[in-house]
Structures are given as structure tokens and as C-alpha cells.
Amino acid sequence: MLGRPRPLSEISSPSAIRTGNPSHAAAKLRAPALLSSSYTLPFNMEEDEFLEEKTFQHYCAEFIKHSQQIGDGWEWKTSKDYSDGYMYKTCFQANEMAGACPGTCADVQTWLPTEEALDLPSDDLEVIETQAASEVVKYEYHVLYSCSYQVPVLYFRASFLDGRPLTLQDIWNGVHESYKTRPLQGPWDTITQQEHPILGQPFFVLHPCKTTEFMAPVLKNSQKINRTVNYITSWLSIVGPAVGLNLPLSYAKATSRDEDAD
Amino acid sequence: MTDDKDVLRDVWFGRIPTCFTLYQDEITEREAEPYYLLLPRVSYLTLVTDKVKKHFQKVMRQEDISEIWFEYEGTPLKWHYPIGLLFDLLASSSALPWNIIVHFKSFPEKDLLHCPSKDAIEAHFMSCMKEADALKHKSQVINEMQKKDHKQLWMGLQNDRFDQFWAINRKLMEYPAEENGFRYIPFRIYQTTTERPFIQKLFRPVAADGQLHTLGDLLREVCPSAIAPEDGGKKNQVMIHGIEPMLETPLQWLSEHLSYPDNFLHISIIPQPID
């Protein structure tokens, strides 16, 4: 073996490099209170703020339950040979163009520009609609668990209906101005192209190593006000908008509603 | 022990004789001769093929050239996998040299990551190293290093400088005196027979009773089908850096000596070749 083993000293300050320091924050991830009387948590929470895989799957299941209630389109995909899997959502959007409605993924119908909005004579509208159809973009969002960093990770990609992929710049251009109020500047906003660990295809990824840092205050606060928090809901509401994914407010109410004794 | 240090050198200096041929449908102004090169097992395709690119671009027009990509027997080669891993997994049962086809058109967007620059390779490499240290040391060792240390790791790999690389990398191979090894072992197991690109799980190098886990223990736990004898008794080969380590080898030792520069053990499970 090379060198003598030496004791590792504790980190005292965040590093200058963009890497996570899991031992930095001290927030405790409290085991969520029973969400319903029939549900028990068969697993233990670790002492620190890490998210275990079974807990991740539990939070995703709860998240999906609410998604089904409001028709938000999230589903779970189990990996063929293994017990793991991921949460995913596919949606379609007409790409940004003059007069198009802003916002998040929705059905194509909603996003095609109206004649009034474009202020054009009706025969021009036909041309625009054809263009609009060819500009429809399919967005895929996958939430996976990283066992290395013990946090969830957001993978996403976009392509035209004929299969041509969008570049990161294309995707960013498609997000309406009002949602660009938080441009790529947060420590969680490092986006790179990486191989999807289950599908083996190129996806864009929000880098996971800072997740523990920005989730710590969220978890700490939930302890303070004695309210359980769905880690996935909180996390996705923070990182999602950076890539044009927004969560309806009812997700937050869903967690607290289950909490309050009726 | 001197023997162990020799292993590090043997791993670092492993080479694969390769023959690069231009894809027949590429448009050339003159005939393109194949290009022969010894590829470092521990490096990445796009890092070591500048000469290959220059060689073929000499006989092509600028407008016919876009991003280079490589293919072996119809399979696009993932530049972000170490060269040795690609060879062991896809071509180790075939005769040398390794025959790779070079493309400059029709980049397979669905299969390959783009490699826009050397910076992209560096970013990928450093990202792997950081992930490995997250597993081994909760990121403490790599975070303690200065930016220049990170740079030295990358430059060592890029310039094929063993001593330069290991001067820093040795710190990533240490562990607390009171432990018997790393927290978890960074590994990935690859098989061409599954849709999933690789298996990666949390696995400790030391058991609760203090016994060192072996390579066999790892495989039995995370990939039992790989070493369980099939109905016909056809076994698989478990290969790292072109060799088949004994399954009794302690995983901690393998992690310290047979990891790639990114600090991961990239393990190939391949069908036993028919002689």
C-alpha cells in the first residue's frame, strides 16, 4: 500500500472547487411522520442529512401519488434487472416564438399562438401553424438516485418530434423570459451532458454535489416548524425551475395536509 | 512493497495496438491510408487521437468534416469510457490490432456524448475522481486539495506522466489508521448483454467482522449472474486492465492498485471466448 494511512482531518470551510462537502451542514433529515395510519417506514434514517435510497423511493412514491391526483404526469419506472428505477415525466411544448404563451410543459394545444396574439391575417396563420407543429419539442425529465452522493439527481433532455435533439442553448431559449429570473448562477446550476446511468443515453444533468448544501436549510427549517417535508418535492421545487420545470403549489399543500390530524 | 508499486506502473503504461480506418462513405480527395497507434489503456479516445484526426483531415475537404467519432463493429465508442475498458468489453476476444472506424459525419446523438474540447474531457475526468472520493472519503480528501493539485492530476494523465500523477493520487489511496480501507469502493461493472450501461452500488471493502471483502464477494452481491455457472457451464471472464484477477483478491487491494486514473475499478464481464 502506498504511504502510511493517516487520520483524515475535518473540513473547516467549503472548498474553492465546485464539489460537495457532505459533512459540512449538520441538518438532520427527520424521518417523516406517518403519512397515513396504514403506512410505516421500515427503514432507518442516517444520522446526517443524507438521503437513503429506500427513503428516496418512498418520497417519490408519495410525490407520484399527488401527481396522479392532479394529473401532473409523473410516473415511476422500475429498472428491468434491478430493484432500482427512476421517476419521470414527459411533456410537449411548442418552442418559443412571438406571441406564444409562456410557462411550463403542457399540451401542444395550449401553446399554439392564437391569431389575435400574432396580429396576422388568417391565411398567414396557416403557415404559422405548420411551423408551430414542426417546432413541437418533447421534454423528458428523470429523477434518479445517486448512491455516490446519496442525493436525487435531475436528468433531462429535449428533442423535436422527428428525433433531432435540442442543445442546451435551444432548451434554455425555449424557457420563457419570466422563468429566467434565476439564470444559471446558483451552485446547483452546473449543467453538463452525461450518460444516463440506467438508459445509457446522453442527457443533461444538474450536478448533484451541492445538493446536500442547499437542502440542509430546507430540512432544518421543517424541523423547526415541526412540519414534515417531502424531500423530493422540496428539492424539485428548487432545481426544477432552472430547467423550465415548475411544480404546481398543490404539491406543498399535499404534504402538509397529510400532516395535520383531521 | 516494491511488487505493489510495479503493478501501478504496469497498469499506467498498458497499451493497445490500434488500427484506425476512415469510414468508407466519408468523402475524400485522395485515398485515406489507415493510421496505426498504440493507445494508452488508462486514457480516453478523444484525448489521444489528435494525430488520427489530423491524418484523415489531410485528405478531406473542410466542409465534409464535423465532430469526429469512433466505431467498432457497428458500435459507437463512448469516448468518456477509458480506452482499456472499451477494448476489454468489446474487442478483447478478437485478434490484434484493434480495428476502429473513424467518422466525421452523422454524429450519433442518441448514443454518444459530445466532446467539444479537451476541457470537456478534463471536466468529465475530474467529475469521476470527485465521485470516487465521495465514495472513499466522503469527498474529504479531494476537497482538501488545492486547485493546482487537481490540475496536476489532469496534466499527469494528459501528458502520460506517471510520477506527476501519483504524487497527488497517492493521497486519494490513503485511509484512516483506525479503518481497514475506504468507506465504499468506487467500482462499475459492465456487460454488453444488458441494456443498463453498468452496475454501480454501495459496497464496503471490509465486513462487519473485519474480514476484507474479495472480488468474488462483490460479484456475488451485486452481479451474481456474472459468475454463477450457466446451464451449459459457460462461465464469464471477469476482466480488469486486460487480466482476470483471482476472485479471492481483496477488493481494497484492487481499488488501490488496479483502479483507473479516475479512481474507479472498471470491471468487464465478458463471455468466455471460444478457442
Side-chain angles (χ1 to χ4, degrees), chain A residues 50 62 110 125 184 200:
Chain A
F50 291 120
E62 291 301 314
T110 325
L125 182 60
L184 297 181

Coordinates of all heavy atoms in Angstrom, one line a residue, chain A residues 50 62 110 125 184 200:
Chain A
F50 N -28.0 12.8 4.8 CA -28.1 12.0 3.5 C -29.5 11.4 3.3 O -30.2 11.1 4.3 CB -27.0 10.9 3.5 CG -25.6 11.5 3.4 CD1 -24.7 11.3 4.4 CD2 -25.3 12.3 2.3 CE1 -23.4 11.8 4.3 CE2 -24.0 12.8 2.2 CZ -23.1 12.6 3.2
E62 N -44.8 9.0 -2.9 CA -45.7 9.9 -2.3 C -45.9 11.1 -3.3 O -47.1 11.5 -3.5 CB -45.2 10.5 -1.0 CG -45.2 9.5 0.1 CD -46.6 8.9 0.4 OE1 -47.6 9.7 0.5 OE2 -46.8 7.7 0.5
T110 N -52.5 24.0 -26.0 CA -52.4 25.3 -25.2 C -51.4 26.3 -25.7 O -51.6 27.5 -25.6 CB -52.1 25.0 -23.8 OG1 -52.6 23.7 -23.4 CG2 -52.5 26.0 -22.8
L125 N -51.8 32.7 -40.8 CA -51.9 31.8 -39.6 C -51.6 30.4 -40.0 O -51.0 29.6 -39.2 CB -53.2 32.0 -38.9 CG -53.4 31.2 -37.6 CD1 -52.4 31.6 -36.6 CD2 -54.8 31.5 -37.1
L184 N -28.6 30.8 -14.7 CA -27.7 29.9 -14.2 C -26.7 30.6 -13.3 O -25.7 31.1 -13.8 CB -27.0 29.1 -15.3 CG -27.9 28.2 -16.2 CD1 -27.1 27.5 -17.3 CD2 -28.6 27.2 -15.4
G200 N -28.3 4.6 -20.5 CA -27.1 4.6 -21.2 C -27.1 5.7 -22.4 O -26.3 5.6 -23.3

